[in-house]
Amino acid sequence: MSVLLQTGRVVTADSDSICDILVEGETIVGLGRGLPQPAGAQVIDCTGKLIVPGGIDPHVHLSMPFMGTFSSDDYETGTRAALHGGTTTVIDFILQKQGGSLRSAFEEWSGRATGNALGDYSFHMAVTDFNPDTKEEIQEMIAEGITSFKTFMAYKGALMIDDAQLVGLMQEVRKYGGLVTVHATNGDMIDTLVAQHRAQGQLAPLYHYRSQPEVTEAEASGRFADIANYTGVNAYIVHLTCEGALNQVRRATQRNQRVLVETCIQYLLLDASLYENEAEGAKWVMSPPLREKKDQATLWAGLNQGLVQVVGTDHCPFMWEQKLLGKDDFAKIPNGHPAVEHRMELLFSEGVNKGRITPQKFVEVTSTNAAKIFGMFPRKGTISIGADADLVIFDPQKKHAISAETHHMNCDYSAYEGWELTGKIDTVLLRGQVAVDAGETKVAKGYGRFIKRDKPVF
Ligand code: DUC
Ligand code: ZN
Ligand code: ZN
Ligand code: ZN
């Protein structure tokens, strides 16, 4: 089966031109103007439309056991929503149980995903207990195509590892050219501030924010960068939110160290004033918390300076009823918000259409850089001959509004309810199949495939 996409404005990280794309089976086989139409080909007229590589969201949590509950999107609903928003590949986090093996965690997560995903997916391995047995498993996981290892410097007693474990893990991962990623906030300091606020009866969502001031993130980001520099490992900070943390990354560049950075769409667009809404502030309770307007400005600049390479989501939705677990105590509000579906449309509307980033930068930070950093390039992350035909046909001027009434995420509220966006996804192809068209899902559960990843090239 072949598909011919005609006369779209094809944008990649390093090109921008009007041309046709020919897809054969799962792969792009032709690129150019006036490509001949093969017999029986499905033809899609893309005049006036943008065509960009399928999005890669390297930070999602599907059915994650967390804070006494589970995130509300599973592989089926989460990857379906991602496809509707032009994200054809997601990378989820496997959580090692403290005391458990990496292998058993991998099997557990594979069981959740296999046969259920509509979109392509891969895994990071969250190492929550680095011990001699774990050490033995690092090379094995890399051979399975899991080349990135996530660490938490917070969430003590559940996910956090200490600096001794961090050094050991980095030394081991470095041997094989893998990547160590981090949730960089100072867990001990946060736990202390949380306890102080609770002791004073300060229990509203605002105190979630007050318990994680900028310094908790800046300090941990700097410490992580320093230890990574010492060990020489490839390093990546997930969900970086603030000026103080980005300054630590800037400092690392002065010794010619490259610390890769992901921010998330919410940190570019939303700010901490939302926590003043006591009744609804829980919708935006996530860690790290939303920050200030000056941090948003730093992050937009960071994208253009090349200091921030990736815009993800940290998609970790909870139903409102789950959020209400913390109605009397901010520390019991499950952390996270729904975002995977609207990352690309939000970034396009607020970034490209408002002149903050170019269309090519948009492609870089929603797809290409993640493909390179997480070892999927050039199969994913670009539009070139031989690449997977993961393509998003985008109407750059079409207006629409975001609402929980119409989104596909399994979440009964939207963090962006009523936002009016310019630029809407028309059609999404995943490995040559039309996966979404005019708002309708066209692939079945089970179509999504596990993507075995290589080492980072960046
Ligand atoms: N932060 C969140 O908000 N949710 C999931 C985990 C995390 O670190
Ligand atoms: Zn939409
Ligand atoms: Zn995190
Ligand atoms: Zn996360």
Side-chain angles (χ1 to χ4, degrees):
M1 171 69 187
S2 47
V3 186
L4 181 63
L5 286 75
Q6 284 181 322
T7 55
R9 178 177 167 195
V10 177
V11 182
T12 69
D14 44 35
S15 65
D16 183 344
S17 65
I18 306 282
C19 72
D20 301 344
I21 302 174
L22 181 62
V23 175
E24 192 64 61
E26 300 198 342
T27 314
I28 296 169
V29 297
L31 271 174
R33 280 185 198 220
L35 294 182
Q37 182 179 328
Q42 178 186 356
V43 177
I44 305 177
D45 178 13
C46 300
T47 310
K49 307 287 167 66
L50 245 58
I51 306 178
V52 297
I56 299 171
D57 187 341
H59 194 151
V60 304
H61 299 282
L62 303 176
S63 303
M64 178 170 76
F66 191 51
M67 297 183 74
T69 184
F70 283 83
S71 57
S72 58
D73 262 323
D74 59 17
Y75 272 80
E76 181 183 350
T77 61
T79 60
R80 184 191 294 124
L83 285 174
H84 276 269
T87 293
T88 47
T89 304
V90 299
I91 315 183
D92 189 18
F93 292 82
I94 299 175
L95 304 184
Q96 176 195 17
K97 282 201 180 72
Q98 294 188 332
S101 69
L102 302 184
R103 170 67 59 188
S104 62
F106 177 37
E107 283 166 3
E108 190 182 332
W109 255 260
S110 298
R112 282 180 200 168
T114 311
N116 291 321
L118 284 79
D120 285 356
Y121 61 94
S122 184
F123 300 126
H124 306 283
M125 178 59 73
V127 177
T128 63
D129 184 6
F130 186 73
N131 58 48
D133 293 335
T134 321
K135 184 175 171 189
E136 296 297 316
E137 292 188 279
I138 298 296
Q139 189 178 14
E140 209 180 305
M141 288 299 125
I142 289 179
E144 295 283 5
I146 300 173
T147 55
S148 47
F149 297 85
K150 166 81 178 291
T151 60
F152 289 88
M153 296 170 85
Y155 300 117
K156 203 173 193 166
L159 302 171
M160 176 170 154
I161 61 172
D162 62 24
D163 292 349
Q165 293 176 302
L166 188 58
V167 178
L169 174 67
M170 284 180 171
Q171 288 170 330
E172 194 61 18
V173 172
R174 193 221 136 115
K175 281 190 204 162
Y176 309 108
L179 181 71
V180 173
T181 79
V182 68
H183 172 123
T185 62
N186 183 320
D188 283 324
M189 189 169 170
I190 292 166
D191 289 347
T192 302
L193 298 177
V194 167
Q196 287 174 358
H197 285 126
R198 291 170 99 188
Q200 290 167 40
Q202 296 170 322
L203 300 169
L206 179 63
Y207 293 96
H208 170 77
Y209 170 61
R210 297 261 172 95
S211 298
Q212 299 199 34
E214 183 172 9
V215 62
T216 59
E217 189 179 333
E219 184 281 328
S221 300
R223 180 160 35 107
F224 176 80
D226 289 347
I227 302 173
N229 187 51
Y230 170 74
T231 61
V233 77
N234 296 310
Y236 177 99
I237 300 177
V238 308
H239 59 39
L240 185 141
T241 71
C242 59
E243 184 184 17
L246 197 63
N247 282 341
Q248 292 299 320
V249 173
R250 219 182 297 276
R251 177 179 65 85
T253 66
Q254 291 166 357
R255 60 191 173 208
N256 202 25
Q257 182 191 9
R258 188 100 195 263
V259 177
L260 300 164
V261 174
E262 162 199 293
T263 190
C264 295
I265 190 69
Q266 61 271 27
Y267 302 119
L268 290 162
L269 302 182
L270 305 177
D271 71 74
S273 62
L274 289 165
Y275 298 124
E276 280 153 29
N277 180 340
E278 193 162 341
E280 290 188 31
K283 289 181 179 172
W284 301 279
V285 165
M286 61 185 78
S287 291
L290 301 173
R291 302 289 184 195
E292 305 292 325
K293 295 256 189 269
K294 60 106 182 156
D295 298 298
Q296 296 177 351
T298 300
L299 295 174
W300 284 109
L303 291 172
N304 286 320
Q305 291 161 335
L307 279 175
V308 179
Q309 291 83 17
V310 174
V311 178
T313 58
D314 197 6
H315 175 73
C316 190
F318 295 98
M319 292 290 188
W320 185 240
E321 191 185 10
Q322 294 174 288
K323 286 284 188 181
L324 289 177
L325 292 169
K327 67 180 177 345
D328 301 318
D329 180 356
F330 71 85
K332 295 188 178 142
I333 303 169
N335 287 197
H337 93 314
V340 74
E341 184 166 350
H342 296 117
R343 176 183 69 126
M344 295 182 75
E345 287 171 338
L346 281 166
L347 189 67
F348 192 87
S349 188
E350 300 301 304
V352 178
N353 274 333
K354 293 194 174 164
R356 291 165 162 145
I357 57 171
T358 64
Q360 288 183 214
K361 177 60 80 174
F362 170 80
V363 170
E364 229 189 85
V365 301
T366 57
S367 181
T368 312
N369 287 347
K372 290 179 177 173
I373 293 168
F374 297 107
M376 297 184 279
F377 190 85
R379 176 175 172 198
K380 305 277 190 199
T382 193
I383 298 174
S384 62
I385 289 173
D388 280 2
D390 299 350
L391 300 165
V392 178
I393 305 170
F394 207 94
D395 185 335
Q397 294 309 329
K398 194 161 172 179
K399 298 201 190 291
H400 65 119
I402 295 185
S403 173
E405 299 287 319
T406 50
H407 74 201
H408 298 81
M409 298 176 283
N410 187 39
C411 188
D412 51 4
Y413 73 89
S414 170
Y416 305 88
E417 188 68 38
W419 279 49
E420 309 261 354
L421 304 186
T422 303
K424 190 169 185 344
I425 285 155
D426 272 359
T427 307
V428 179
L429 280 81
L430 169 57
R431 284 181 282 102
Q433 289 286 321
V434 172
V436 170
D437 187 45
E440 281 191 45
T441 314
K442 301 286 188 184
V443 287
K445 145 180 173 168
Y447 182 69
R449 211 178 265 166
F450 173 65
I451 304 298
K452 240 178 132 160
R453 294 184 289 111
D454 226 307
K455 290 166 196 173
V457 279
F458 207 84

